[in-house]
Amino acid sequence: GALVCSGSADNFVRVWRVRDRAFLHTLRGHKNWVLALAFNPVLPAQFATGSADGTIRLWDLSPSTPPSASAAAAASASSSCIAVLKPAKSQSGVSLGGSKEVTCCCFIPDGSLLCSAGADKVVRIWGLASGTCQRVLHGHRGQINSLAFQGGTACLLASVEGNGAFHHFSSDNSMILWDLSASVGGELIVRLLGHKRRVNCCAFNGTGSLVVTGANDNTVRLWLLSTSLQASGPGEEGRLRRSDRGSEGGSERGGVADLGWGVDSESDAGSTTASVTQAGSGTTARER
């Protein structure tokens, strides 16, 4: 990764260069908080942002000349936006499916499609070449907070927020695994159940055999997804391999805010580890 990007409540996206830690750009265009950001895995200078304004913006920072880190160059880079994606409108001008906040987005591994989701409870699949929405996945009962692709497959995992009061102990708080392969086009394979409060984040390991999820019930759950399980059909539940609890108490302030997989440099075998960030505690835990 040559670039680091951030999105914030001031509606701006900021870009730094990793090599020399130089601040490069402030990207303008969103009309509300920037809530989601994802890099294209094939084109390293291209990334997408999702906002509470209901739009996704596609940015490309591939320069004809090396960018300057001067204040003048960093002042504005709105011209780097190459597409604005938003739900189509009917003839009456009403947005189909609503234009509620976009809370998460991710590219498929070959970089040709972008998935987005949020408060309107659906996943949209966007074709980057056409800039149009190709598919809409229904079946989620609450806001979708995170998306992740399973390595080596066409499977997408979406974490869903429960619909109970304050999202506490509702009947959902689940994760749904979708098959996006061309032959299926969007089929629900597995629903993962177990979290008691809002699921904030999910991530697959490098092989796609394990997924780790974090929620406001202060737990991190590790799930085993086998080939046989994926073939078993809709409605089946994934196998919970391990559950670890963070800080005690009922407050959402101690929930798991984010997590991700890495390589354990201390192991000769290069075993994978999950890094977990807990909201309100300022701590990061690592689970082997």
Side-chain angles (χ1 to χ4, degrees):
L3 300 175
V4 171
C5 297
S6 69
S8 56
D10 61 6
N11 311 344
F12 297 154
V13 178
R14 292 176 173 84
V15 185
W16 290 263
R17 186 168 52 214
V18 174
R19 184 181 70 252
D20 54 4
R21 303 180 184 178
F23 174 62
L24 301 180
H25 300 295
T26 297
L27 306 180
R28 294 170 167 82
H30 282 300
K31 306 301 182 184
N32 209 327
W33 287 27
V34 180
L35 301 172
L37 195 153
F39 274 92
N40 189 318
V42 176
L43 303 174
Q46 187 179 100
F47 61 95
T49 54
S51 170
D53 65 13
T55 68
I56 303 101
R57 286 180 175 260
L58 190 63
W59 310 86
D60 195 330
L61 299 181
S62 304
S64 55
T65 58
S68 168
S70 66
S76 176
S78 58
S79 60
S80 300
C81 181
I82 59 175
V84 179
L85 310 178
K86 53 186 176 182
K89 291 185 178 180
S90 66
Q91 292 182 352
S92 63
V94 177
S95 180
L96 300 178
S99 58
K100 297 181 180 180
E101 61 188 29
V102 178
T103 59
C104 49
C105 61
C106 70
F107 289 87
I108 72 168
D110 69 6
S112 64
L113 299 175
L114 177 71
C115 302
S116 70
D120 59 3
K121 307 178 186 179
V122 299
V123 176
R124 289 183 171 85
I125 315 297
W126 303 86
L128 299 186
S130 63
T132 59
C133 182
Q134 297 186 351
R135 277 170 280 176
V136 180
L137 306 181
H138 297 272
H140 311 90
R141 300 166 187 163
Q143 174 174 302
I144 302 168
N145 294 315
S146 64
L147 296 170
F149 261 98
Q150 185 179 23
T153 73
C155 294
L156 174 73
L157 184 70
S159 69
V160 185
E161 185 172 305
N163 53 9
F166 303 105
H167 313 298
H168 290 180
F169 304 103
S170 79
S171 59
D172 205 331
N173 297 311
S174 63
M175 289 72 63
I176 294 179
L177 188 66
W178 296 92
D179 184 355
L180 302 185
S181 59
S183 60
V184 175
E187 177 181 317
L188 193 158
I189 306 174
V190 178
R191 187 185 296 271
L192 306 180
L193 302 173
H195 282 295
K196 303 301 182 183
R197 295 188 180 180
R198 184 177 69 188
V199 183
N200 295 318
C201 44
C202 59
F204 286 97
N205 68 343
T207 63
S209 60
L210 295 171
V211 63
V212 62
T213 59
N216 280 355
D217 59 8
N218 302 333
T219 66
V220 174
R221 294 173 186 255
L222 189 64
W223 307 83
L224 176 64
L225 298 178
S226 65
T227 303
S228 59
L229 172 64
Q230 293 175 26
S232 59
E236 295 292 337
E237 294 184 19
R239 173 185 168 192
L240 178 62
R241 180 168 176 176
R242 176 173 175 177
S243 177
D244 291 299
R245 176 169 293 277
S247 62
E248 298 296 331
S251 171
E252 288 196 0
R253 294 181 60 190
V256 179
D258 201 2
L259 45 75
W261 290 91
V263 176
D264 187 353
S265 60
E266 299 175 1
S267 170
D268 293 336
S271 60
T272 55
T273 62
S275 179
V276 179
T277 301
Q278 193 165 13
S281 66
T283 60
T284 298
R286 188 177 67 176
E287 294 296 337
R288 196 181 300 273

